[in-house]
Amino acid sequence: MAGRGAFPDLGTAEPKDFYKILDIERDADAEQIKRAYRRKALRYHPDKTGHDPDAAEQFQLVQRAYEVLSDDKKRAIFDKYGERGILMMEQMGEVAPFIDPDIILAMNKFFFIGTLLTALLILFPSFISVRADHKVFWSWAVVFIPLFIIDALLLYYLLTIPTKLPGAEEDDDHDDRFNEDRDAAMRDREKRKKEKAMRRSGSKVGMVGYFLLVVLFEIFVVLRLDGKVGWSWGAVFAPWFIVEAVNSYMISMGVVKKVKEGVYDLEAAHEGEGLESQQPTMRALKASEIVVLIADAYVFWILRLAQAALIAAKVGDGPLQSTAWGLIFLPTWLWGLTQLLSIVLACVAVRRSVVVDAERKKEARVGLIIKSIGFAVVATLLYVGVGLLVKRLANEESSGETPGAPSMGVIFIPTFIVLGLLFCCFCCCLPCLVCCFRQGLEAELAEDGVSNVEMIPSDRRITYGNGANDRPGSMTILIGEGTGSSRKR
């Protein structure tokens, strides 16, 4: 990774100490750096030194030193990697995040939070397993503690995220300089700011309310399982149905927006001649395309809503109480069928397409292969777990006990596999990859091009049959230091 062919060749870059150039200590503050720069710049300024090339070069070095040391991020990189780190950041933007202290800190936070959340997600099905298998007799409120901790962390994140997004006011100044009435322009600008602030605040309130409905549903489930309330399961699922109603509104808004915007007319661009005709234009959606768009947008929502309604009707006193559990999970089985059908239709569309060029067709095929593999893995894990759950619930319903039924620990095995892989990624794999990449950068940024690895002295190394008197296959171990070393075989 630290090979010379991987990164810019920095070996020819002569390292400079910007602190010595400005004659300041390494712990100097911003004011001291500014004073030192003014003093040095005044001393080597061309207006004072004339055409002296040495003074001009020194003046450029002073400017470069101030440019780096006055920037907190560049100064931190310089303190750790030297000038080569600055050059690497300026020349290789794609690897700059691995030497940027702020981004490294953000990645560390991401890995820590991901590890914490996946650990809690592993604990939650574990608690359900031991409680449902009667290994322990905790209340369901205790079982849901890991999930409530996750809810608290997510709620804290939603409440602390800034409502003002970067670049949100970039268009505030448009057309102001062309408006002669400056007072009217200022009023329009303030009005736009207030409207944006209201939209951002409304979006944040909507996200928090949406999340609180999900938490309320979890609380209702706990109260019902612990027998604290005697509500019907339809009432328990009421917050979830409200959430699905909100989802329906959001899906509808997305569909309306896509219908209004239309799609690119690729066929017209393909059949036309000349450079201008090759540019795709927007056209209105056909009736068949609108039907496909609506089906793609609503199919998963319909199946999800139907699954929740069937479970609520089955566990309650509704007419589906005697229905087999295999039929209750019919929406889950249909989800896999719809996904498989969409993959098949996408393959047929790519194969018959005459508009997409060979390169795009190849990319589409690769994407479909990846999607097919992902679907196969997800469907296998999902349906193994659901199938085992259906078997357990059917046995409990028929005999009141679970003879021969799989335990909840076995049912959750697919869940544990997925969460375990995520935990390993957040806790080990991704941090190790980032660390290895940083080690490669540090080796490349070292002054001699070699990382600071402690080398074993030559008189303490293990060699293999290098001596003239050594027998084939013999091993020579050198022990000791200096002239006092001894040879053993």
Side-chain angles (χ1 to χ4, degrees):
M1 188 177 296
R4 284 293 175 184
F7 306 106
D9 186 7
L10 302 177
T12 58
E14 181 181 355
K16 304 178 184 65
D17 190 345
F18 293 146
Y19 291 100
K20 288 184 179 180
I21 292 175
L22 295 181
D23 287 337
I24 56 176
E25 299 294 333
R26 300 189 72 87
D27 58 350
D29 56 20
E31 188 62 30
Q32 292 174 336
I33 293 174
K34 186 181 295 185
R35 288 200 301 266
Y37 165 70
R38 289 176 178 174
R39 182 175 64 253
K40 288 283 186 177
L42 184 62
R43 177 179 176 183
Y44 295 106
H45 198 278
D47 291 343
K48 279 198 169 186
T49 59
H51 299 286
D52 186 358
D54 294 335
E57 180 181 359
Q58 193 66 26
F59 181 73
Q60 292 179 356
L61 289 177
V62 169
Q63 287 185 317
R64 175 65 169 169
Y66 179 71
E67 174 192 351
V68 172
L69 298 183
S70 61
D71 189 307
D72 293 337
K73 183 182 296 184
K74 290 184 177 180
R75 183 179 180 182
I77 295 175
F78 176 78
D79 290 341
K80 186 170 185 178
Y81 301 107
E83 188 189 12
R84 298 189 178 197
I86 302 297
L87 294 175
M88 178 69 77
M89 184 185 69
E90 294 174 348
Q91 296 177 10
M92 298 287 288
E94 65 270 17
V95 298
F98 294 96
I99 61 176
D100 190 334
D102 296 336
I103 297 182
I104 291 174
L105 180 61
M107 286 192 294
N108 291 336
K109 290 182 179 179
F110 173 73
F111 295 147
F112 172 76
I113 294 174
T115 302
L116 178 62
L117 292 179
T118 50
L120 292 171
L121 288 174
I122 291 174
L123 283 178
F124 180 54
S126 302
F127 285 4
I128 293 179
S129 300
V130 296
R131 176 62 177 84
D133 291 336
H134 305 294
K135 305 295 183 181
V136 296
F137 296 95
W138 302 334
S139 66
W140 285 100
V142 175
V143 173
F144 273 69
I145 284 178
L147 191 59
F148 290 148
I149 295 176
I150 294 175
D151 293 338
L153 294 175
L154 294 178
L155 181 60
Y156 173 78
Y157 170 75
L158 290 176
L159 293 176
T160 55
I161 56 175
T163 57
K164 180 179 179 180
L165 301 178
E169 298 183 0
E170 289 181 356
D171 58 341
D172 284 341
D173 297 330
H174 71 287
D175 294 338
D176 282 355
R177 60 181 180 276
F178 302 109
N179 195 334
E180 296 180 358
D181 189 352
R182 303 303 300 176
D183 294 336
M186 290 297 296
R187 287 195 298 269
D188 292 341
R189 184 177 181 181
E190 292 298 326
K191 182 179 179 181
R192 290 196 301 268
K193 284 184 178 181
K194 291 181 180 180
E195 290 176 353
K196 289 182 179 181
M198 291 179 62
R199 286 198 299 267
R200 290 193 296 266
S201 300
S203 177
K204 185 173 182 178
V205 171
M207 288 189 297
V208 173
Y210 183 92
F211 178 76
L212 290 178
L213 284 172
V214 176
V215 176
L216 186 63
F217 168 67
E218 297 169 3
I219 295 174
F220 283 4
V221 170
V222 170
L223 294 176
R224 182 64 175 81
L225 291 174
D226 282 336
K228 303 295 184 181
V229 294
W231 303 336
S232 66
W233 281 101
V236 172
F237 273 80
W240 182 262
F241 293 140
I242 297 175
V243 168
E244 294 297 353
V246 175
N247 289 334
S248 175
Y249 171 76
M250 296 173 63
I251 293 173
S252 301
M253 295 299 294
V255 170
V256 171
K257 182 180 179 180
K258 289 183 179 179
V259 171
K260 288 182 178 180
E261 291 177 351
V263 294
Y264 287 108
D265 191 358
L266 297 177
E267 295 182 0
H270 180 75
E271 295 174 356
E273 296 180 358
L275 182 61
E276 295 182 358
S277 62
Q278 294 296 325
Q279 300 296 329
T281 57
M282 300 296 293
R283 64 169 177 82
L285 288 171
K286 301 176 183 177
S288 59
E289 292 174 336
I290 295 177
V291 172
V292 173
L293 176 62
I294 294 174
D296 290 341
Y298 279 97
V299 63
F300 182 61
W301 175 81
I302 293 173
L303 293 175
R304 190 173 62 241
L305 181 63
Q307 185 63 84
L310 289 174
I311 292 177
K314 171 65 177 177
V315 297
D317 298 329
L320 300 180
Q321 192 172 8
S322 59
T323 307
W325 279 103
L327 293 176
I328 294 298
F329 282 92
L330 181 62
T332 302
W333 314 127
L334 290 178
W335 172 83
L337 182 61
T338 57
Q339 294 299 310
L340 184 61
L341 182 61
S342 67
I343 293 175
V344 172
L345 292 177
C347 292
V348 173
V350 171
R351 196 166 194 175
R352 294 183 177 180
S353 177
V354 295
V355 178
V356 182
D357 56 18
E359 187 66 27
R360 292 183 179 179
K361 185 175 291 188
K362 183 179 179 180
E363 293 178 358
R365 288 175 178 173
V366 173
L368 286 174
I369 292 174
I370 296 174
K371 183 179 180 180
S372 301
I373 295 174
F375 168 73
V377 174
V378 172
T380 300
L381 294 174
L382 173 64
Y383 290 131
V384 167
V386 174
L388 293 174
L389 178 61
V390 168
K391 182 179 179 181
R392 177 189 173 95
L393 293 174
N395 288 338
E396 287 183 349
E397 190 176 44
S398 61
S399 62
E401 299 178 358
T402 59
S407 64
M408 290 301 297
V410 174
I411 294 172
F412 277 119
I413 283 179
T415 304
F416 291 139
I417 291 175
V418 175
L419 293 178
L421 290 175
L422 288 176
F423 181 82
C424 290
C425 288
F426 285 118
C427 184
C428 301
C429 299
L430 293 178
C432 287
L433 286 176
V434 173
C435 183
C436 290
F437 202 89
R438 288 186 61 198
Q439 290 292 333
L441 286 176
E442 289 177 359
E444 185 70 17
L445 294 172
E447 292 185 4
D448 54 357
V450 181
S451 59
N452 297 325
V453 179
E454 184 179 357
M455 302 299 294
I456 300 176
S458 60
D459 57 355
R460 297 185 64 85
R461 298 178 186 173
I462 298 177
T463 61
Y464 182 80
N466 292 329
N469 298 325
D470 291 337
R471 296 187 300 274
S474 63
M475 180 178 291
T476 302
I477 303 177
L478 299 179
I479 305 176
E481 299 179 359
T483 59
S485 61
S486 60
R487 180 182 296 268
K488 293 186 180 181
R489 287 186 185 146

